[in-house]
Amino acid sequence: MFDIRRFDGVIYGADYNPEQWPREVWPEDVRLMGEAGVNLVSLGIFSWALLERAEGEFTFEWLDEVMDLLHAGGVDVNLATATASPPPWFSLKYPDSRPVTVDGVRLEVGGRQLYCPSHPALREGVARLTRAVATRYAGHPALKLWHINNEYGCHIDQCYCEHCARRFRAWLEARYVTIDALNDAWGTAFWSQRYTDWAEIQPPRRAPTYANPTQQLDWRRFSSDNILELHTLERGILTEITPDVPATTNFLGFLPGLDYFRWAQEEDVVSLDAYPDPGQPDSHLEAGMVFDLTRSLGGGNRWILMEQATSAVNWRTRNAPKAPGQMRMLNHLALAKGASGIMFFQWRASKAGAEKFHSGLVQHVGTERSRVWREVTAFGAELKTLTPLLDARVPARVAVMFDWHNWWALNIDSKPGVIPLLPLLGRWYAALRTLGQNVDFVAPGGDLGGYDVVVLPNLYLMDDTTGADLRAFTERGGHLIAGYFTGVVDGQEHIHLGGYGGPLRDVLGLWVEEWDVLLPGQTNTATLNGAQVTVTDWCDVLHLDGAEAVATYDGRYYAGQAAVTRHASGQGQAWYVGTELPADALRDVLRGVLDGAGVPHTLLPAHADLSASALPDGTQLLHVLNAHPHETLTLTVPSGGTLFPDGGDAGTRIGLPPYGVTLIHYPYAVQISDVQVSGT
């Protein structure tokens, strides 16, 4: 079990890459870390080439020196297994360890993460290096956390080589047992695809036209599981040698290739690398959605923000810096969403290499003339006053159901239209946050018992078990809302016959006959709450079977039919949004769902963020952030609150400057509906 108390307060630090710098710089690094308030660094992430210069020949002396320096300076270590990037000698000795793309191209040396996850020598090398590092540093007093590999699946989440093909066939045989069962699951009667032997099955490489949809879905499932085996290989070695040292690997939020709900089960603490675009006006929403997901992956436990930029990154077409105050504001957002650690990539901005223009705590200009250095040292000092946050939890009455398997299935080709899931999810999330809601994410099969409202922006892939769980949720009084193109196929990507909506048809009180996928530039209108709104992209042609129409289409051949519906289901209600509503209209529909469920809400400006945290003594913290670079926010809040952590009277009216943050401590649970926030 991960115990945050093993660290000195809130974790604060960065990736540290001393191997990029002369030895005489290292003592100065440790001195500056003390000045900045750093108490943890991630060390050795890309050090395989220095630690193992030839197969089985290890050189640890330089790392010994750094570990000792850090410990003497009061800095703890999140020590990497260093397996993230095999050295060039490995690729030369094992050329078939280089991954192969869907088009059959074998990738070349020169970047990072150049490995096939199935390659036997790669797995042997990973185990050998992990065991050597763990054995060497098992008793070192600086070691507080293991960092396994780095950003699995960031560049290579699928490899199509023969090693992976063999493992794919073994995975399928374990899943289906018989070739007949696989044929049934894959629907191979279509296009003369029936298999008679496991050896006939290949990965879904580039083909003359669409590959089998269920084959593509199973390939995605296999690829996530296959890379997870690499992680659990290392994790098992670490547990054997250092059973009392917790371990993590850094996730990447909504990464397409890996099912993080499954991966999170293997983590002592969930950690995240997050790089929202500071140049975008909704960067706080982009960050907040990932932060909420990360907390949810860990079952509501606090988590570590393992990587972020102090200012600009280097890999977008245009790399905006974080404006003064923006870094602090976004990190307070992470704390409000349950972070127990704030870390960066990286300690020193690199002098050479592919990421030399990526910002660091110590910028190229040094510390004395650096605006970034002034901000990170000030924030490090501030974090020392925020230790009580480590005991806070982030309660939510609203859950968004999200499923990687659904995402994979939705992205398979040959659909009625393309539905980019993350932008769709982001619009629903933004509407909930604008209404002041703490939001959890939950996977199908997850516990819904603690929620009043469950939101399905899209769940195209839905098996009968998930449908039964959602039915039980509404029957016992829960309120459900689903978006268009939901409940269309089962877990094998086969259509639910009899009207789209499948397992939820009775819960929603409707069935969908077909879809009108609007072409670019086409729109329709719908009447909602007596007003006409423009709808875009997608219109479900649906038929009521017990539900009532909340909004109706005004145009096209289905004019007069329902666009948004509500249906009593057991003790609860089920809503359906059959089209792409504008932001204000979607927010109004969700407000109606919250009202029906008795969930308090408020209305926030787009650039405001409001979160509530619960402390163990029954008191509450409100976190209010202003994400606008120029405008001031005005807060009207209940009386009785004190400013946190200073303890001064908060009053009932507070002005919040651009990128400003305020935390208000209440001796009771505040109703969100009693908090009003307005812009200038």
Side-chain angles (χ1 to χ4, degrees):
M1 185 58 139
F2 180 74
D3 182 7
I4 187 61
R5 300 301 172 187
R6 69 192 290 120
F7 301 94
D8 180 20
V10 179
I11 294 169
Y12 192 52
D15 281 22
Y16 181 39
N17 299 292
E19 64 270 30
Q20 297 180 16
W21 300 95
R23 180 174 268 98
E24 54 267 25
V25 174
W26 300 351
E28 176 69 1
D29 283 335
V30 176
R31 185 190 70 78
L32 289 174
M33 288 175 190
E35 185 178 321
V38 166
N39 57 18
L40 183 73
V41 294
S42 300
L43 184 65
I45 291 174
F46 294 110
S47 297
W48 190 342
L50 291 180
L51 293 175
E52 190 181 19
R53 297 178 183 239
E55 192 166 49
E57 298 178 12
F58 295 104
T59 303
F60 286 112
E61 287 74 16
W62 71 272
L63 188 55
D64 294 345
E65 183 177 345
V66 174
M67 291 283 287
D68 292 344
L69 275 171
L70 290 166
H71 178 62
V75 180
D76 291 327
V77 174
N78 170 36
L79 185 59
T81 56
T83 57
S85 192
W89 65 255
F90 186 92
S91 298
L92 179 63
K93 185 169 184 177
Y94 302 104
D96 63 338
S97 71
R98 292 176 290 131
V100 174
T101 69
V102 67
D103 294 302
V105 175
R106 193 175 293 278
L107 300 180
E108 289 295 341
V109 176
R112 65 173 188 174
Q113 211 170 85
L114 185 77
Y115 59 80
C116 162
S118 300
H119 195 276
L122 183 279
R123 294 192 174 210
E124 291 171 5
V126 162
R128 181 177 61 248
L129 180 58
T130 300
R131 184 169 295 278
V133 172
T135 301
R136 182 83 173 192
Y137 299 106
H140 200 287
L143 176 62
K144 291 295 189 295
L145 183 65
W146 284 114
H147 185 107
I148 301 176
N149 200 281
N150 187 72
E151 296 184 341
Y152 282 107
C154 176
H155 307 298
I156 301 297
D157 62 9
Q158 302 164 83
C159 172
Y160 293 82
C161 75
E162 283 304 315
H163 295 291
C164 287
R166 285 192 292 270
R167 293 189 69 85
F168 182 44
R169 287 189 284 270
W171 184 92
L172 290 170
E173 192 166 0
R175 180 178 178 87
Y176 292 111
V177 181
T178 69
I179 198 74
D180 286 341
L182 177 137
N183 281 303
D184 289 342
W186 285 18
T188 58
F190 187 79
W191 277 358
S192 186
Q193 292 179 343
R194 187 166 188 84
Y195 295 99
T196 59
D197 190 274
W198 298 102
E200 299 167 2
I201 301 170
Q202 299 294 329
R205 301 184 179 107
R206 188 71 66 199
T209 185
Y210 308 123
N212 182 296
T214 315
Q215 178 191 15
Q216 294 185 62
L217 179 57
D218 275 347
W219 172 254
R220 277 295 200 173
R221 290 165 169 156
F222 156 76
S223 296
S224 178
D225 288 353
N226 194 38
I227 299 175
L228 181 57
E229 284 188 13
L230 276 181
H231 176 269
T232 55
L233 170 65
E234 295 192 42
R235 176 62 193 271
I237 294 169
L238 297 174
T239 301
E240 172 195 338
I241 298 172
T242 57
D244 297 326
V245 180
T248 189
T249 191
N250 41 345
F251 290 172
L252 288 165
F254 292 93
L255 183 72
L258 305 183
D259 179 2
Y260 280 151
F261 278 112
R262 171 66 188 91
W263 276 67
Q265 298 171 28
E266 306 296 335
E267 308 303 308
D268 289 315
V269 57
V270 175
S271 59
L272 170 74
D273 296 354
Y275 293 94
D277 187 348
Q280 297 299 316
D282 61 351
S283 63
H284 65 294
L285 288 170
E286 178 188 353
M289 189 165 79
V290 174
F291 295 163
D292 279 332
L293 172 70
T294 306
R295 183 189 66 254
S296 302
L297 292 171
N301 293 317
R302 300 194 75 87
W303 51 278
I304 300 172
L305 179 52
M306 190 67 73
E307 281 189 28
Q308 59 176 311
T310 56
S311 184
V313 299
N314 67 295
W315 37 264
R316 294 188 175 100
T317 303
R318 293 177 179 267
N319 296 292
K322 289 178 179 174
Q326 193 175 17
M327 180 274 292
R328 174 179 178 264
M329 182 272 296
L330 288 171
N331 278 311
H332 267 284
L333 179 63
L335 293 168
K337 304 289 189 181
S340 62
I342 302 294
M343 302 183 71
F344 299 88
F345 178 85
Q346 59 179 325
W347 168 250
R348 279 188 183 270
S350 298
K351 182 180 179 179
E355 294 183 295
K356 60 182 174 289
F357 290 111
H358 192 295
S359 57
L361 280 81
V362 181
Q363 294 279 71
H364 292 145
V365 297
T367 58
E368 292 184 1
R369 296 185 294 175
S370 170
R371 184 263 302 180
V372 166
W373 179 253
R374 291 191 294 272
E375 290 195 40
V376 297
T377 53
F379 188 61
E382 181 183 2
L383 282 181
K384 294 183 184 298
T385 71
L386 301 180
T387 301
L389 288 178
L390 300 178
D391 294 319
R393 294 185 66 83
V394 185
R397 297 176 66 177
V398 176
V400 172
M401 186 167 283
F402 178 81
D403 180 25
W404 262 269
H405 299 251
N406 174 66
W407 194 6
W408 295 331
L410 194 64
N411 282 343
I412 292 171
D413 41 31
S414 189
K415 294 284 194 305
V418 174
I419 300 177
L421 183 58
L422 285 193
L424 174 65
L425 184 68
R427 291 190 288 273
W428 286 64
Y429 177 84
L432 290 167
R433 293 298 296 145
T434 302
L435 293 167
Q437 297 305 302
N438 286 355
V439 175
D440 282 350
F441 286 88
V442 62
D447 184 6
L448 305 180
Y451 303 109
D452 298 288
V453 175
V454 171
V455 180
L456 279 63
N458 173 274
L459 207 61
Y460 159 76
L461 182 147
M462 182 187 299
D463 60 25
D464 289 337
T465 300
T466 301
D469 289 345
L470 294 169
R471 181 180 298 105
F473 170 76
T474 60
E475 286 178 349
R476 63 175 178 261
H479 290 244
L480 173 71
I481 179 168
Y484 56 83
F485 205 51
T486 283
V488 177
V489 299
D490 64 14
Q492 301 296 351
E493 247 268 334
H494 296 191
I495 296 290
H496 290 293
L497 300 177
Y500 305 116
L504 288 186
R505 285 196 299 261
D506 59 333
V507 178
L508 296 169
L510 58 84
W511 56 278
V512 177
E513 179 184 1
E514 59 180 342
W515 310 283
D516 183 18
V517 182
L518 302 180
L519 301 177
Q522 282 187 323
T523 62
N524 197 351
T525 60
T527 299
L528 172 68
N529 298 326
Q532 193 174 75
V533 299
T534 299
V535 299
T536 57
D537 298 316
W538 190 285
C539 297
D540 277 349
V541 180
L542 59 88
H543 300 267
L544 303 181
D545 190 11
E548 61 176 310
V550 174
T552 54
Y553 295 112
D554 299 321
R556 301 179 72 83
Y557 65 90
Y558 42 88
Q561 292 181 234
V564 179
T565 66
R566 178 176 55 217
H567 181 237
S569 179
Q571 299 299 309
Q573 289 187 347
W575 294 62
Y576 188 75
V577 179
T579 188
E580 185 63 46
L581 294 173
D584 288 352
L586 178 60
R587 181 201 64 209
D588 290 345
V589 170
L590 286 166
R591 180 160 47 188
V593 178
L594 296 174
D595 284 337
V599 177
H601 55 80
T602 189
L603 185 59
L604 302 175
H607 55 279
D609 192 275
L610 172 64
S611 299
S613 296
L615 292 170
D617 61 2
T619 62
Q620 182 172 295
L621 275 175
L622 286 185
H623 308 245
V624 190
L625 291 77
N626 182 2
H628 202 284
H630 309 300
E631 293 185 4
T632 297
L633 286 178
T634 301
L635 283 65
T636 302
V637 297
S639 61
T642 56
L643 296 175
F644 180 87
D646 301 336
D649 182 13
T652 59
R653 194 170 178 84
I654 301 172
L656 200 58
Y659 293 138
V661 174
T662 190
L663 281 71
I664 310 172
H665 187 207
Y666 285 93
Y668 58 91
V670 174
Q671 293 287 341
I672 292 298
S673 54
D674 294 333
V675 180
Q676 304 297 317
V677 183
S678 59
T680 54

